[in-house]
Amino acid sequence: SLVRFICTCKSWSDLIGSSSFVSTHLHRNVTKHAHVYLLCLRHPNVERQADPDDPYVEQEFQWSLFSNETFEDCSKLSHPLGSTKHYVIYGSSNGLVCISDEMLNFDSPIHIWNPSVRKLRTAPISSNINIKFSHVALQFGFHPGVNDYKAVRLMRTNKRALAVEVYSLRTDSWKMIEAIPPWLKCTWQHYKGTFFNGVAYHIIEKGPIFSIMSFDLGSEQFEEFIAPDAICSSWGLCIDVYKGQICLLLKCYGCEEEGMEKIDLWVLQEKLWKQLFPFIYPFGYCYDIIGINIDDELLMGRTDIAKGVADLFLCNYESKQVRETGIKLGLMSYGEIESLCSITYIESMVLLN
């Protein structure tokens, strides 16, 4: 591993930490999907004997790396902060992972972690915030246009006060975004989000309307894309990236193909939603949508609430085949998959100074 080489001697450490080595390494890994792992936060004893609804039971969690090809458990990682606290992944890019509290507050610490080389940076506390916000959303990723890793934090109160802040890894500082569009200055509820090509996307609900809010961390411009008419609930709704395009996934009941179930799929093309042929898979199992993997296959979880576990499956778009990965994930106390917000693909590596 890179950790062994870094620790061997100073000259190797300097070489591996150089910008030219990092750029070459990243280009190779991204273009060839080499050294890609599935990072999951899960309970070490997946089939827990303790009652998950008991608030007095201390839940310990563990990070694990799985091979993207064989799904073999390659490594169990110690928590970067030496804690078993349940952190959630809010984005990853080029081997860097952004983690923070499961229940975000305006003062939640934000950590940028590189599991490959066991390095961590904690963003400084923002000096821009002087009121308490009750609703917080967070996204993290790389913006190629400005060659920087950034996090965006959206915060609002019940009285419609809204603040948007951007953290730059390069400058290690926060910046408040002053220009907020009028259509965001209202009561809205945010749901899932994703980050792609320097732009953060969030599903938001404003009254009866669902839309996708985008924020470009380079130009610092907002855009809104009204969701397709078929989307009228957040249940079974997911946003991700499919074949290089932002996509919406919606779990549906009933399928035109006998003995099959489907998940509707839309992609954002030239600022309009285009519906594609749905993901179709055999009927008979209750799957939850987790997202799309780097090979454009559908990640799904099949839950067993009695045992407190969920099995991870992949659905291939063309073949309609579902295959079991053998990866078992834990469940939260309310029966959802822990990894819905605690699973990501990582490629090594970017070093943190």
Side-chain angles (χ1 to χ4, degrees):
S1 74
L2 285 171
V3 175
R4 291 203 309 270
F5 292 119
I6 289 172
C7 297
T8 299
C9 66
K10 186 178 184 302
S11 60
W12 285 16
S13 177
D14 292 341
L15 172 64
I16 292 172
S18 67
S19 58
S20 59
F21 181 90
V22 171
S23 298
T24 302
H25 191 79
L26 279 177
H27 178 74
R28 175 181 178 275
N29 287 350
V30 171
T31 55
K32 296 184 178 181
H33 281 183
H35 303 291
V36 177
Y37 299 92
L38 185 63
L39 175 66
C40 299
L41 176 61
R42 61 177 186 158
H43 197 278
N45 299 314
V46 179
E47 296 189 16
R48 292 175 292 192
Q49 302 299 317
D51 181 3
D53 294 319
D54 185 350
Y56 299 102
V57 174
E58 182 72 20
Q59 301 295 342
E60 295 186 353
F61 296 91
Q62 175 180 281
W63 296 98
S64 294
L65 281 177
F66 294 92
S67 165
N68 181 49
E69 297 178 353
T70 65
F71 308 113
E72 177 187 358
D73 191 346
C74 300
S75 178
K76 292 178 175 60
L77 303 175
S78 58
H79 196 286
L81 297 168
S83 168
T84 57
K85 184 178 178 181
H86 186 189
Y87 280 89
V88 164
I89 297 170
Y90 290 96
S92 65
S93 183
N94 299 334
L96 297 186
V97 181
C98 177
I99 60 175
S100 188
D101 296 337
E102 178 187 354
M103 300 298 293
L104 283 173
N105 294 308
F106 70 97
D107 58 351
S108 291
I110 296 173
H111 309 287
I112 312 301
W113 177 36
N114 186 335
S116 299
V117 293
R118 314 295 198 266
K119 286 197 173 186
L120 182 84
R121 179 187 290 182
T122 300
I125 297 173
S126 171
S127 60
N128 302 321
I129 304 302
N130 53 18
I131 63 173
K132 292 185 178 182
F133 291 89
S134 54
H135 305 279
V136 181
L138 176 66
Q139 290 292 331
F140 168 84
F142 178 70
H143 196 302
V146 296
N147 192 31
D148 194 8
Y149 295 84
K150 295 196 174 189
V152 58
R153 182 165 58 181
L154 288 80
M155 299 166 287
R156 66 178 178 85
T157 69
N158 292 326
K159 296 181 180 180
R160 299 189 180 183
L162 176 68
V164 179
E165 275 194 308
V166 173
Y167 169 75
S168 164
L169 183 65
R170 185 171 57 199
T171 63
D172 194 30
S173 62
W174 289 96
K175 176 184 178 181
M176 183 69 77
I177 304 301
E178 303 294 342
I180 306 295
W183 52 267
L184 262 182
K185 296 178 180 179
C186 63
T187 301
W188 49 269
Q189 175 66 43
H190 71 264
Y191 294 99
K192 296 176 181 178
T194 193
F195 195 103
F196 177 63
N197 202 28
V199 182
Y201 296 86
H202 286 274
I203 299 173
I204 62 173
E205 180 183 6
K206 300 188 296 182
I209 298 174
F210 281 83
S211 63
I212 309 308
M213 179 208 70
S214 74
F215 177 70
D216 189 314
L217 277 76
S219 66
E220 298 181 352
Q221 296 295 310
F222 293 88
E223 281 193 85
E224 182 180 24
F225 308 98
I226 304 299
D229 292 339
I231 296 175
C232 55
S233 169
S234 62
W235 185 88
L237 179 61
C238 181
I239 184 170
D240 214 312
V241 179
Y242 178 72
K243 293 190 174 180
Q245 300 171 101
I246 289 295
C247 74
L248 290 173
L249 299 158
L250 180 66
K251 187 175 181 179
C252 299
Y253 284 113
C255 180
E256 296 78 8
E257 218 172 301
E258 186 176 353
M260 307 294 282
E261 295 189 46
K262 71 172 183 176
I263 293 174
D264 280 336
L265 171 66
W266 294 266
V267 294
L268 189 61
Q269 293 183 348
E270 298 180 351
K271 301 186 178 183
L272 296 173
W273 294 107
K274 178 182 178 181
Q275 186 166 14
L276 303 183
F277 193 76
F279 276 94
I280 292 179
Y281 55 91
F283 176 82
Y285 297 101
C286 183
Y287 294 107
D288 293 312
I289 302 172
I290 296 177
I292 303 289
N293 73 357
I294 60 171
D295 298 314
D296 294 312
E297 294 179 304
L298 184 65
L299 276 167
M300 304 187 298
R302 190 177 71 195
T303 61
D304 186 333
I305 296 177
K307 292 183 177 180
V309 299
D311 295 296
L312 188 64
F313 289 81
L314 290 174
C315 176
N316 185 274
Y317 185 75
E318 282 80 17
S319 70
K320 306 176 187 177
Q321 296 297 311
V322 174
R323 57 194 175 109
E324 188 172 358
T325 65
I327 298 175
K328 289 186 177 292
L329 307 167
L331 298 180
M332 291 179 177
S333 58
Y334 44 87
E336 292 187 357
I337 302 173
E338 284 166 357
S339 59
L340 284 175
C341 294
S342 300
I343 186 170
T344 191
Y345 284 85
I346 64 169
E347 318 89 359
S348 57
M349 58 152 228
V350 168
L351 293 184
L352 295 169
N353 294 324

Coordinates of all heavy atoms in Angstrom, one line a residue, residues 10-74:
K10 N 12.3 9.0 3.3 CA 11.8 10.4 3.0 C 11.8 10.7 1.5 O 10.9 11.3 1.0 CB 12.8 11.4 3.7 CG 12.3 12.9 3.5 CD 13.2 13.8 4.2 CE 12.6 15.2 4.2 NZ 12.4 15.7 2.8
S11 N 12.7 10.1 0.7 CA 12.8 10.4 -0.7 C 11.5 9.8 -1.4 O 10.9 10.4 -2.3 CB 14.0 9.8 -1.3 OG 14.1 8.4 -1.2
W12 N 11.1 8.6 -1.0 CA 9.9 8.0 -1.5 C 8.7 8.8 -1.1 O 7.7 9.0 -1.9 CB 9.8 6.6 -1.0 CG 10.7 5.6 -1.7 CD1 11.8 5.9 -2.5 CD2 10.6 4.2 -1.8 NE1 12.4 4.8 -2.9 CE2 11.7 3.7 -2.5 CE3 9.7 3.3 -1.2 CZ2 12.0 2.4 -2.7 CZ3 10.0 1.9 -1.4 CH2 11.1 1.5 -2.2
S13 N 8.7 9.2 0.1 CA 7.5 10.0 0.6 C 7.4 11.3 -0.2 O 6.3 11.7 -0.6 CB 7.7 10.4 2.1 OG 6.6 11.2 2.6
D14 N 8.5 12.0 -0.5 CA 8.5 13.2 -1.2 C 8.1 13.0 -2.7 O 7.3 13.8 -3.2 CB 9.9 13.9 -1.2 CG 10.4 14.4 0.1 OD1 9.5 14.6 1.0 OD2 11.6 14.6 0.3
L15 N 8.5 11.9 -3.2 CA 8.1 11.5 -4.6 C 6.6 11.3 -4.7 O 5.9 11.9 -5.6 CB 8.9 10.3 -5.1 CG 8.4 9.7 -6.5 CD1 8.7 10.7 -7.6 CD2 9.1 8.4 -6.7
I16 N 6.1 10.5 -3.8 CA 4.7 10.2 -3.8 C 3.8 11.4 -3.5 O 2.7 11.6 -4.0 CB 4.4 9.1 -2.8 CG1 5.0 7.7 -3.2 CG2 2.9 8.9 -2.6 CD1 4.9 6.6 -2.2
G17 N 4.4 12.4 -2.7 CA 3.6 13.6 -2.4 C 3.7 14.7 -3.4 O 3.1 15.7 -3.3
S18 N 4.6 14.5 -4.5 CA 4.8 15.5 -5.5 C 3.5 15.6 -6.4 O 2.8 14.6 -6.6 CB 6.0 15.2 -6.4 OG 5.8 14.0 -7.1
S19 N 3.3 16.8 -6.9 CA 2.1 17.1 -7.7 C 2.1 16.2 -9.0 O 1.1 15.8 -9.5 CB 2.0 18.6 -8.0 OG 3.1 19.0 -8.7
S20 N 3.3 16.0 -9.6 CA 3.4 15.3 -10.8 C 3.1 13.8 -10.6 O 2.4 13.2 -11.4 CB 4.8 15.4 -11.4 OG 5.8 14.9 -10.5
F21 N 3.5 13.2 -9.5 CA 3.2 11.8 -9.2 C 1.7 11.7 -9.0 O 1.0 10.8 -9.5 CB 3.9 11.4 -8.0 CG 3.6 9.9 -7.6 CD1 4.4 8.9 -8.1 CD2 2.6 9.6 -6.7 CE1 4.2 7.6 -7.8 CE2 2.3 8.3 -6.4 CZ 3.1 7.3 -6.9
V22 N 1.1 12.6 -8.2 CA -0.3 12.5 -7.9 C -1.1 12.7 -9.2 O -2.1 11.9 -9.4 CB -0.7 13.6 -6.9 CG1 -2.3 13.7 -6.8 CG2 -0.1 13.4 -5.5
S23 N -0.8 13.6 -10.1 CA -1.5 13.8 -11.3 C -1.5 12.6 -12.2 O -2.5 12.2 -12.8 CB -1.0 15.0 -12.1 OG -1.1 16.2 -11.3
T24 N -0.2 12.0 -12.3 CA -0.1 10.8 -13.2 C -0.9 9.6 -12.6 O -1.6 8.9 -13.3 CB 1.4 10.4 -13.3 OG1 2.1 11.5 -13.8 CG2 1.6 9.2 -14.2
H25 N -0.8 9.5 -11.3 CA -1.5 8.4 -10.6 C -3.0 8.5 -10.8 O -3.7 7.5 -11.1 CB -1.1 8.4 -9.1 CG -1.6 7.2 -8.4 ND1 -0.9 6.0 -8.4 CD2 -2.6 7.0 -7.5 CE1 -1.5 5.1 -7.7 NE2 -2.6 5.7 -7.1
L26 N -3.5 9.7 -10.6 CA -5.0 9.9 -10.7 C -5.4 9.7 -12.2 O -6.5 9.1 -12.4 CB -5.3 11.4 -10.3 CG -5.4 11.6 -8.8 CD1 -5.7 13.1 -8.6 CD2 -6.5 10.8 -8.2
H27 N -4.7 10.2 -13.1 CA -5.1 10.0 -14.5 C -5.2 8.6 -14.9 O -6.1 8.1 -15.5 CB -4.1 10.7 -15.5 CG -4.4 10.6 -16.9 ND1 -5.4 11.2 -17.5 CD2 -3.8 9.8 -17.9 CE1 -5.4 10.9 -18.8 NE2 -4.5 10.0 -19.0
R28 N -4.2 7.8 -14.4 CA -4.2 6.3 -14.7 C -5.4 5.7 -14.1 O -6.1 4.9 -14.7 CB -2.9 5.7 -14.2 CG -2.9 4.2 -14.3 CD -1.6 3.6 -13.8 NE -1.5 2.2 -13.8 CZ -2.1 1.4 -12.9 NH1 -2.7 1.9 -11.9 NH2 -2.0 0.1 -13.1
N29 N -5.6 6.0 -12.8 CA -6.7 5.3 -12.1 C -8.1 5.7 -12.6 O -9.0 4.8 -12.8 CB -6.7 5.7 -10.6 CG -5.5 5.0 -9.9 OD1 -4.9 4.1 -10.5 ND2 -5.2 5.4 -8.7
V30 N -8.3 7.0 -13.0 CA -9.6 7.4 -13.4 C -9.9 6.9 -14.8 O -11.0 6.4 -15.1 CB -9.7 9.0 -13.4 CG1 -10.9 9.4 -14.1 CG2 -9.6 9.5 -12.0
T31 N -8.9 6.9 -15.7 CA -9.2 6.4 -17.1 C -9.3 4.9 -17.2 O -10.1 4.4 -18.0 CB -8.0 6.9 -18.0 OG1 -6.8 6.4 -17.5 CG2 -8.0 8.4 -18.2
K32 N -8.6 4.2 -16.3 CA -8.7 2.7 -16.4 C -9.5 2.1 -15.2 O -9.7 0.9 -15.2 CB -7.3 2.1 -16.3 CG -6.4 2.5 -17.4 CD -5.0 1.8 -17.3 CE -4.1 2.1 -18.5 NZ -2.8 1.4 -18.5
H33 N -10.1 2.9 -14.4 CA -10.9 2.4 -13.2 C -10.0 1.5 -12.4 O -10.5 0.5 -11.9 CB -12.1 1.7 -13.6 CG -13.2 2.7 -14.0 ND1 -14.5 2.3 -14.4 CD2 -13.3 4.0 -14.1 CE1 -15.3 3.3 -14.6 NE2 -14.5 4.4 -14.4
A34 N -8.7 1.8 -12.3 CA -7.8 1.0 -11.5 C -7.8 1.4 -10.1 O -8.1 2.6 -9.8 CB -6.4 1.1 -12.1
H35 N -7.5 0.5 -9.2 CA -7.5 0.8 -7.8 C -8.7 1.4 -7.2 O -8.7 2.4 -6.5 CB -6.2 1.6 -7.4 CG -4.9 1.0 -7.9 ND1 -4.4 -0.1 -7.3 CD2 -4.1 1.4 -8.9 CE1 -3.3 -0.4 -7.9 NE2 -3.1 0.4 -8.9
V36 N -9.9 0.9 -7.7 CA -11.2 1.5 -7.2 C -11.7 0.5 -6.2 O -11.8 -0.7 -6.3 CB -12.1 1.6 -8.4 CG1 -13.5 2.1 -7.9 CG2 -11.6 2.6 -9.4
Y37 N -12.2 1.1 -5.1 CA -12.7 0.4 -4.0 C -14.1 0.9 -3.6 O -14.4 2.1 -3.8 CB -11.8 0.4 -2.8 CG -10.4 -0.2 -3.1 CD1 -9.4 0.6 -3.5 CD2 -10.2 -1.6 -2.9 CE1 -8.1 0.1 -3.8 CE2 -9.0 -2.1 -3.2 CZ -8.0 -1.3 -3.6 OH -6.7 -1.9 -3.9
L38 N -14.9 0.1 -3.0 CA -16.2 0.5 -2.4 C -16.0 0.7 -0.9 O -15.6 -0.3 -0.2 CB -17.2 -0.7 -2.7 CG -18.6 -0.4 -2.2 CD1 -19.2 0.8 -3.0 CD2 -19.5 -1.6 -2.5
L39 N -16.2 1.9 -0.5 CA -16.0 2.2 0.9 C -17.3 2.2 1.6 O -18.2 3.0 1.2 CB -15.3 3.6 1.1 CG -15.1 4.2 2.5 CD1 -14.2 3.3 3.3 CD2 -14.7 5.6 2.4
C40 N -17.5 1.4 2.7 CA -18.8 1.3 3.4 C -18.5 1.6 4.9 O -17.5 1.1 5.5 CB -19.4 -0.1 3.2 SG -19.8 -0.5 1.6
L41 N -19.5 2.2 5.5 CA -19.6 2.4 6.9 C -20.6 1.4 7.4 O -21.8 1.5 7.0 CB -19.9 3.8 7.3 CG -20.1 4.0 8.8 CD1 -18.8 3.8 9.6 CD2 -20.6 5.5 9.1
R42 N -20.2 0.5 8.3 CA -21.2 -0.6 8.7 C -20.9 -1.0 10.1 O -19.8 -0.7 10.7 CB -21.1 -1.8 7.8 CG -19.8 -2.5 7.7 CD -19.8 -3.7 6.8 NE -18.6 -4.4 6.9 CZ -18.5 -5.7 6.6 NH1 -19.5 -6.4 6.2 NH2 -17.3 -6.3 6.6
H43 N -21.8 -1.7 10.7 CA -21.6 -2.3 12.0 C -20.7 -3.5 11.9 O -20.9 -4.3 11.0 CB -22.9 -2.6 12.7 CG -22.9 -2.8 14.1 ND1 -22.5 -4.0 14.7 CD2 -23.2 -2.0 15.1 CE1 -22.5 -3.8 16.0 NE2 -22.9 -2.6 16.3
P44 N -19.7 -3.6 12.8 CA -18.7 -4.8 12.6 C -19.4 -6.1 12.8 O -19.0 -7.1 12.1 CB -17.7 -4.5 13.7 CG -18.3 -3.6 14.7 CD -19.3 -2.7 13.9
N45 N -20.4 -6.2 13.7 CA -21.2 -7.4 13.8 C -22.5 -7.2 13.1 O -23.4 -6.6 13.6 CB -21.5 -7.7 15.3 CG -20.2 -8.0 16.0 OD1 -19.3 -8.7 15.6 ND2 -20.0 -7.3 17.2
V46 N -22.5 -7.5 11.8 CA -23.6 -7.1 10.9 C -25.0 -7.5 11.4 O -25.9 -6.8 11.5 CB -23.4 -7.6 9.5 CG1 -24.5 -7.2 8.6 CG2 -22.1 -7.0 8.9
E47 N -25.1 -8.8 11.8 CA -26.3 -9.3 12.4 C -26.3 -9.0 13.9 O -25.9 -9.9 14.6 CB -26.5 -10.8 12.0 CG -26.7 -11.0 10.5 CD -27.1 -12.4 10.2 OE1 -27.6 -13.1 11.1 OE2 -26.9 -12.9 9.1
R48 N -26.8 -7.9 14.3 CA -26.7 -7.4 15.6 C -27.7 -8.1 16.5 O -28.9 -8.3 16.1 CB -26.8 -5.9 15.7 CG -25.7 -5.2 15.1 CD -26.0 -3.7 15.0 NE -27.1 -3.4 14.1 CZ -27.4 -2.2 13.8 NH1 -26.7 -1.2 14.2 NH2 -28.4 -2.0 12.9
Q49 N -27.3 -8.5 17.7 CA -28.2 -9.1 18.7 C -28.9 -8.0 19.5 O -30.0 -8.2 20.0 CB -27.4 -10.0 19.6 CG -26.6 -11.1 18.9 CD -27.6 -12.0 18.1 OE1 -28.6 -12.4 18.6 NE2 -27.2 -12.4 16.9
A50 N -28.3 -6.9 19.6 CA -28.9 -5.8 20.4 C -30.1 -5.2 19.7 O -30.1 -5.2 18.4 CB -27.8 -4.7 20.7
D51 N -31.0 -4.7 20.4 CA -32.2 -4.1 19.9 C -31.8 -2.7 19.3 O -31.4 -1.8 20.0 CB -33.2 -3.9 21.0 CG -34.5 -3.2 20.4 OD1 -34.6 -3.0 19.2 OD2 -35.4 -2.9 21.2
P52 N -31.9 -2.6 17.9 CA -31.5 -1.3 17.3 C -32.3 -0.1 17.7 O -31.9 1.0 17.5 CB -31.6 -1.6 15.8 CG -32.6 -2.7 15.7 CD -32.4 -3.5 17.0
D53 N -33.5 -0.4 18.3 CA -34.4 0.7 18.7 C -34.1 1.2 20.1 O -34.7 2.1 20.6 CB -35.9 0.3 18.6 CG -36.3 0.1 17.1 OD1 -35.9 0.9 16.3 OD2 -37.0 -0.9 16.8
D54 N -33.2 0.5 20.8 CA -32.9 0.8 22.2 C -31.9 2.0 22.2 O -30.8 1.8 21.8 CB -32.3 -0.4 22.9 CG -32.1 -0.1 24.4 OD1 -32.2 1.0 24.8 OD2 -31.8 -1.1 25.1
P55 N -32.4 3.2 22.7 CA -31.5 4.3 22.6 C -30.3 4.2 23.6 O -29.3 5.0 23.5 CB -32.4 5.5 23.1 CG -33.4 4.8 23.9 CD -33.6 3.5 23.3
Y56 N -30.3 3.2 24.5 CA -29.2 3.1 25.4 C -28.1 2.1 24.9 O -27.1 1.9 25.6 CB -29.7 2.6 26.8 CG -30.7 3.6 27.4 CD1 -32.1 3.3 27.3 CD2 -30.3 4.7 28.0 CE1 -33.0 4.2 27.9 CE2 -31.2 5.6 28.5 CZ -32.5 5.4 28.5 OH -33.4 6.3 29.0
V57 N -28.4 1.5 23.8 CA -27.4 0.6 23.2 C -26.4 1.5 22.4 O -26.8 2.2 21.4 CB -28.0 -0.4 22.3 CG1 -27.0 -1.3 21.6 CG2 -28.9 -1.3 23.1
E58 N -25.1 1.4 22.7 CA -24.1 2.2 22.0 C -23.8 1.4 20.7 O -23.3 0.3 20.7 CB -22.8 2.3 22.8 CG -21.7 3.1 22.2 CD -22.0 4.6 22.1 OE1 -22.9 5.0 22.9 OE2 -21.4 5.3 21.3
Q59 N -24.0 2.1 19.6 CA -23.7 1.4 18.3 C -22.3 1.8 17.8 O -22.0 3.0 17.7 CB -24.8 1.9 17.3 CG -26.2 1.6 17.7 CD -26.5 0.1 17.7 OE1 -25.7 -0.7 17.1 NE2 -27.5 -0.3 18.4
E60 N -21.5 0.8 17.6 CA -20.2 1.0 17.0 C -20.2 0.7 15.5 O -20.8 -0.2 15.1 CB -19.2 0.1 17.8 CG -19.1 0.4 19.3 CD -17.9 -0.4 19.9 OE1 -17.4 -1.2 19.2 OE2 -17.7 -0.1 21.1
F61 N -19.4 1.5 14.8 CA -19.4 1.4 13.4 C -17.9 1.2 12.9 O -17.0 1.7 13.6 CB -20.1 2.6 12.7 CG -21.5 2.7 13.0 CD1 -22.0 3.4 14.1 CD2 -22.5 2.0 12.2 CE1 -23.3 3.5 14.4 CE2 -23.8 2.1 12.6 CZ -24.2 2.8 13.6
Q62 N -17.8 0.7 11.7 CA -16.5 0.4 11.2 C -16.5 0.7 9.7 O -17.4 0.4 9.0 CB -16.2 -1.1 11.4 CG -14.9 -1.6 10.8 CD -14.8 -3.1 11.1 OE1 -14.4 -3.5 12.2 NE2 -15.1 -4.0 10.2
W63 N -15.4 1.2 9.2 CA -15.2 1.5 7.8 C -14.5 0.2 7.2 O -13.6 -0.3 7.7 CB -14.3 2.7 7.6 CG -14.8 4.0 8.0 CD1 -14.6 4.6 9.2 CD2 -15.8 4.8 7.4 NE1 -15.3 5.7 9.3 CE2 -16.0 5.9 8.2 CE3 -16.4 4.7 6.1 CZ2 -16.9 6.9 7.8 CZ3 -17.3 5.7 5.8 CH2 -17.5 6.8 6.6
S64 N -15.0 -0.2 6.0 CA -14.5 -1.3 5.3 C -14.3 -1.0 3.8 O -15.1 -0.3 3.2 CB -15.4 -2.6 5.4 OG -15.4 -3.0 6.7
L65 N -13.2 -1.5 3.2 CA -12.9 -1.3 1.8 C -13.2 -2.6 1.1 O -12.7 -3.7 1.5 CB -11.5 -0.9 1.6 CG -11.1 0.6 1.8 CD1 -9.6 0.8 1.5 CD2 -11.9 1.5 0.8
F66 N -14.0 -2.6 0.0 CA -14.3 -3.8 -0.7 C -13.8 -3.6 -2.2 O -13.9 -2.5 -2.7 CB -15.8 -4.1 -0.8 CG -16.4 -4.4 0.6 CD1 -16.9 -3.4 1.4 CD2 -16.4 -5.7 1.0 CE1 -17.5 -3.7 2.6 CE2 -17.0 -6.0 2.2 CZ -17.5 -5.0 3.0
S67 N -13.3 -4.7 -2.8 CA -12.8 -4.7 -4.2 C -14.0 -4.4 -5.1 O -15.1 -5.0 -4.9 CB -12.2 -6.0 -4.5 OG -12.1 -6.1 -5.9
N68 N -13.8 -3.5 -6.0 CA -14.9 -3.2 -7.0 C -15.1 -4.3 -8.0 O -16.2 -4.4 -8.6 CB -14.5 -1.9 -7.8 CG -15.6 -1.5 -8.8 OD1 -16.8 -1.5 -8.5 ND2 -15.2 -1.3 -10.0
E69 N -14.2 -5.2 -8.1 CA -14.3 -6.3 -9.1 C -14.8 -7.6 -8.4 O -15.7 -8.3 -8.9 CB -13.0 -6.6 -9.7 CG -12.5 -5.4 -10.6 CD -11.2 -5.6 -11.2 OE1 -10.5 -6.7 -10.9 OE2 -10.7 -4.8 -12.0
T70 N -14.2 -8.0 -7.2 CA -14.5 -9.3 -6.6 C -15.4 -9.1 -5.4 O -16.0 -10.1 -4.9 CB -13.3 -10.0 -6.2 OG1 -12.6 -9.2 -5.1 CG2 -12.3 -10.1 -7.3
F71 N -15.6 -7.9 -4.9 CA -16.3 -7.5 -3.7 C -15.7 -8.2 -2.4 O -16.4 -8.3 -1.4 CB -17.8 -7.9 -3.8 CG -18.5 -7.4 -5.0 CD1 -18.9 -8.2 -6.1 CD2 -18.6 -6.0 -5.2 CE1 -19.4 -7.7 -7.2 CE2 -19.2 -5.5 -6.3 CZ -19.6 -6.4 -7.4
E72 N -14.5 -8.5 -2.5 CA -13.8 -9.1 -1.4 C -13.5 -8.0 -0.4 O -13.2 -6.8 -0.8 CB -12.4 -9.7 -1.8 CG -11.5 -10.2 -0.7 CD -10.2 -10.6 -1.2 OE1 -9.9 -10.5 -2.4 OE2 -9.3 -11.0 -0.3
D73 N -13.6 -8.3 0.9 CA -13.3 -7.3 2.0 C -11.8 -7.2 2.0 O -11.1 -8.0 2.6 CB -13.9 -7.8 3.3 CG -13.9 -6.8 4.4 OD1 -13.2 -5.7 4.2 OD2 -14.5 -6.9 5.4
C74 N -11.3 -6.1 1.5 CA -9.8 -5.9 1.3 C -9.2 -5.3 2.6 O -8.1 -5.6 2.9 CB -9.5 -4.9 0.2 SG -10.1 -5.5 -1.4

